[in-house]
Amino acid sequence: MVPLWLVLAFALPRVPVHRVATPPLVRARADSESTLRSARRAQRDFESFRRQHLPERYGGRGGPCDLQIGRFCFWYGDQKEDSVPEPPVIREARHRLLADLAEAAAHLPGDPWIAGQRARYLVEDGQAAEAVTAARACRSTPWWCSALAGYALHAAARFEEADSAFSAALRSMPDDERCRWHDIAPLLPGDLRGRYERMSCEERAAFESRWWWLAAPLLSRPGNDRRTEHFARLTLAEITSTSSTAYDERWDDDLREVLLRFGRDVYWTQEPSPYVSNPKPFITGHERVPAFHFVPSGEVVDAPERATPADWRLDADRPQEWYAPSYADRFTRLDAQVAAFRRSDSCVAIASYDASHNPMLAHQAALATLVMARDERSRVLAQRETQLDGPEVLSTTVTCEPQLLSLEIVPAKARWVARLRYGMNFGKRDGVSDLLLIEPFDSLPTDLASALHHVLATTRIPAGGRLGLFWEVHGLSPAGEMVTTSLAVRPQGGGWLRHTVEALGLAARRAAVDLEWDEVMAPASNGDPTVAERAITLDLAGVPPGLYRIELIVTARGRAPFTTSRDIEIVSP
């Protein structure tokens, strides 16, 4: 007998069976999600592995916090480069992670998270050039790819290109994102921060432009590496905010603030916990050192022309922020004399210096630059290649608007920078120029060009000697005018009581040298018809060492007096 079910099987019509295929878009989405999950897992696993193998460093917590920023304790340290070598196993693990990220990027070139992590770990691994290549292969949101390129270019010390990349990123960002990236409030001291936070987004952008210009370590180079450093920090904050960190802590505003103010960590150490109830080790991140506070005092933002070298305290104690340039381990204030002279339609700025007396600077090939800038969009440069073997003078002609002067010396090989930064106001068209200190000699100069051959490279004058002075007077009649010139060398200091009685007229102002004379003064017939020149030699014998101000007053009949001054220091020979 044939079973009934078999008979029925032969009797029933056959119905074709169709396999349901997964749609291509669904399959691609599943593959993409799998690739991204694998990349995220690889990144988490690397950071966990890093934490387990960090080198130990006892005493890294350094006692009470210098700053408490949210959950994190920050110490300024002693600014000495004492980095702990990274264990080879961590470097090898990072290379494996980078291989995984490269594979993921090949599958998902448009994923912003993968592109960001590749840039992050390539830079961390010292592969800045490869990070630039990877960032340029980014196919994500255009502004994000530009920001990653800026991050990598900054790490490669290609600051002008980094500046351009970040500018492109800012232009193409959504408005709210751009406003967030323009926020520099964490970098500002309290009084200036309050004023800044009351500004609109547009006002903040204008304020920032001025701020970054004044904070640029070098005005002689294209690109502002302090600004690109800030945007690199912002880029890294975006990268890190959605990934694991070496601290094994969730990302929050406190970690972001530490990063924006003090820069990225370049290595980490761990210290075993002394608490039985919480055996998790303490992890300490270490920024690049030495770092410098390039931002000037708040008053300079409003009036750069009134700035003095003291307004830039690069070695400020416990600053609000800092930055460690990759190209220099030391910034030295340059001793120099600067002066300004008017012409009929322009002004001349002069800087004289002698770096040969400084054993760190002397007798090295370097590029010396005098920079004059009206604002962040304009600059005039006078440059010379030098061996720093003796006194040198740089001068340039600019418009007579208020200017920022920056004298900068950058060596060809050594890792130091010497600079001097001043605000310069050229004054009124009618008046007296700056006093120029020159060598004392019998044949006094009759014009600025000849005076420059004898200009002193410092305002520090040996005691017991002589001092030459050169100046110009503008606005006198071409036919000549009778003028009275008075000149005094007055000591600075003396205490508040002495200043008070002098101000009240209860005591005469002291003068180490006091001269006055009358003469007919006229512009030279073969020179600028608006300028009259004068030079004099002072005998400083008997004037004790100390700080002094040379005050010059020129009075023409029927006119307000023209005044100028120069601070000097008389030093023991």
Side-chain angles (χ1 to χ4, degrees):
M1 291 182 60
V2 178
L4 180 61
W5 63 266
L6 185 58
V7 173
L8 291 174
F10 278 108
L12 291 173
R14 296 182 178 274
V15 178
V17 177
H18 298 283
R19 296 185 180 275
V20 179
T22 303
L25 289 178
V26 174
R27 186 167 61 248
R29 187 180 302 114
D31 290 344
S32 297
E33 290 174 354
S34 176
T35 298
L36 184 56
R37 280 197 304 271
S38 296
R40 287 182 177 274
R41 183 168 55 250
Q43 192 270 334
R44 285 195 304 271
D45 290 346
F46 167 72
E47 290 298 349
S48 176
F49 183 88
R50 190 211 301 264
R51 286 191 293 273
Q52 295 169 25
H53 294 84
L54 286 176
E56 291 187 357
R57 186 175 186 178
Y58 290 85
R61 286 180 289 158
C65 305
D66 291 336
L67 285 176
Q68 184 77 42
I69 302 177
R71 297 163 292 169
F72 292 88
C73 200
F74 183 86
W75 298 277
Y76 285 96
D78 59 8
Q79 291 294 291
K80 293 180 180 177
E81 180 57 60
D82 58 352
S83 60
V84 176
E86 182 179 66
V89 292
I90 295 180
R91 190 176 309 112
E92 292 163 4
R94 184 166 50 244
H95 289 171
R96 292 193 295 272
L97 171 62
L98 283 168
D100 291 340
L101 291 172
E103 184 177 352
H107 287 292
L108 297 175
D111 186 85
W113 188 90
I114 294 172
Q117 300 303 322
R118 285 192 77 196
R120 168 190 181 181
Y121 287 109
L122 282 168
V123 167
E124 185 183 292
D125 200 57
Q127 301 186 59
E130 291 78 2
V132 172
T133 301
R136 286 177 172 164
C138 170
R139 297 295 178 267
S140 182
T141 306
W143 77 259
W144 179 238
C145 293
S146 294
L148 293 179
Y151 178 74
L153 289 163
H154 175 81
R158 294 159 61 177
F159 304 123
E160 185 177 14
E161 295 172 81
D163 226 343
S164 297
F166 282 125
S167 294
L170 289 165
R171 283 194 302 270
S172 56
M173 282 179 187
D175 290 344
D176 57 343
E177 187 72 24
R178 184 186 309 110
C179 193
R180 193 167 69 90
W181 276 56
H182 274 305
D183 184 3
I184 60 170
L187 310 183
L188 302 177
D191 53 343
L192 199 57
R193 180 169 182 166
R195 169 184 160 193
Y196 175 82
E197 289 179 334
R198 292 190 293 272
M199 297 179 183
S200 67
C201 191
E202 292 73 19
E203 290 171 331
R204 288 183 179 187
F207 177 94
E208 274 178 80
S209 184
R210 173 67 61 91
W211 173 268
W212 291 127
W213 168 56
L214 294 169
L218 292 169
L219 295 178
S220 55
R221 289 181 173 177
N224 183 341
D225 57 290
R226 182 61 189 90
R227 179 177 183 265
T228 58
E229 166 72 11
H230 178 69
F231 288 128
R233 294 175 183 182
L234 278 169
T235 305
L236 183 58
E238 295 294 323
I239 293 170
T240 315
S241 65
T242 56
S243 60
S244 295
T245 70
Y247 295 104
D248 195 23
E249 297 283 351
R250 62 178 173 77
W251 183 266
D252 212 332
D253 289 345
D254 48 8
L255 263 176
R256 184 177 188 272
E257 181 176 342
V258 173
L259 173 58
L260 293 188
R261 289 174 61 179
F262 302 109
R264 71 180 180 91
D265 297 319
V266 293
Y267 72 97
W268 294 261
T269 56
Q270 64 173 318
E271 182 176 346
S273 171
Y275 308 114
V276 176
S277 59
N278 182 17
K280 185 177 177 181
F282 294 104
I283 295 175
T284 302
H286 304 262
E287 301 83 13
R288 185 196 301 276
V289 292
F292 306 93
H293 180 61
F294 292 105
V295 174
S297 61
E299 296 78 9
V300 177
V301 178
D302 295 318
E305 70 278 5
R306 293 202 293 267
T308 69
D311 285 312
W312 282 269
R313 293 186 57 209
L314 273 61
D315 57 351
D317 184 43
R318 299 190 177 189
Q320 183 77 5
E321 56 74 53
W322 69 24
Y323 164 49
S326 59
Y327 52 83
D329 297 326
R330 182 177 297 183
F331 277 74
T332 300
R333 183 186 291 184
L334 190 61
D335 185 23
Q337 180 186 182
V338 299
F341 294 85
R342 268 193 172 271
R343 294 293 172 262
S344 57
D345 57 354
S346 61
C347 285
V348 178
I350 295 163
S352 177
Y353 60 94
D354 184 355
S356 66
H357 299 303
N358 188 325
M360 186 188 77
L361 313 182
H363 314 299
Q364 298 184 52
L367 181 66
T369 309
L370 173 62
V371 185
M372 299 296 296
R374 299 191 310 273
D375 52 37
E376 57 271 31
R377 295 174 297 278
S378 65
R379 61 179 187 152
V380 176
L381 280 67
Q383 289 185 321
R384 66 179 297 172
E385 294 183 353
T386 174
Q387 289 294 323
L388 302 179
D389 288 329
E392 298 177 333
V393 179
L394 287 171
S395 65
T396 188
T397 301
V398 294
T399 62
C400 293
E401 300 163 89
Q403 304 267 346
L404 186 66
L405 177 150
S406 192
L407 177 61
E408 301 170 357
I409 298 179
V410 181
K413 297 180 179 178
R415 291 178 54 81
W416 55 260
V417 169
R419 76 172 209 185
L420 184 69
R421 197 161 286 183
Y422 262 100
M424 186 165 280
N425 194 334
F426 292 96
K428 300 178 181 178
R429 185 172 298 277
D430 293 344
V432 63
S433 72
D434 285 343
L435 285 172
L436 189 65
L437 309 182
I438 60 175
E439 298 168 340
F441 57 102
D442 294 334
S443 180
L444 293 172
T446 58
D447 56 35
L448 180 60
S450 58
L452 291 184
H453 294 294
H454 304 280
V455 63
L456 296 181
T458 179
T459 58
R460 304 176 79 240
I461 312 301
R466 298 190 303 160
L467 173 64
L469 298 176
F470 175 88
W471 67 93
E472 296 177 343
V473 180
H474 304 257
L476 298 178
S477 168
E481 295 185 46
M482 177 64 72
V483 300
T484 299
T485 303
S486 61
L487 186 148
V489 181
R490 303 188 187 280
Q492 299 293 94
W496 67 270
L497 181 59
R498 181 72 195 188
H499 287 303
T500 300
V501 297
E502 287 178 355
L504 294 173
L506 302 177
R509 296 187 67 193
R510 298 164 297 162
V513 177
D514 209 341
L515 303 173
E516 184 172 294
W517 66 94
D518 295 327
E519 64 175 319
V520 175
M521 183 176 284
S525 59
N526 60 346
D528 189 321
T530 68
V531 177
E533 298 96 349
R534 281 297 179 268
I536 192 174
T537 298
L538 297 181
D539 186 354
L540 298 178
V543 179
L547 299 174
Y548 293 84
R549 174 165 294 170
I550 305 174
E551 299 175 343
L552 180 76
I553 303 175
V554 178
T555 306
R557 292 173 182 172
R559 299 175 184 238
F562 302 149
T563 63
T564 189
S565 64
R566 165 76 70 178
D567 290 341
I568 64 171
E569 182 181 5
I570 297 180
V571 297
S572 299

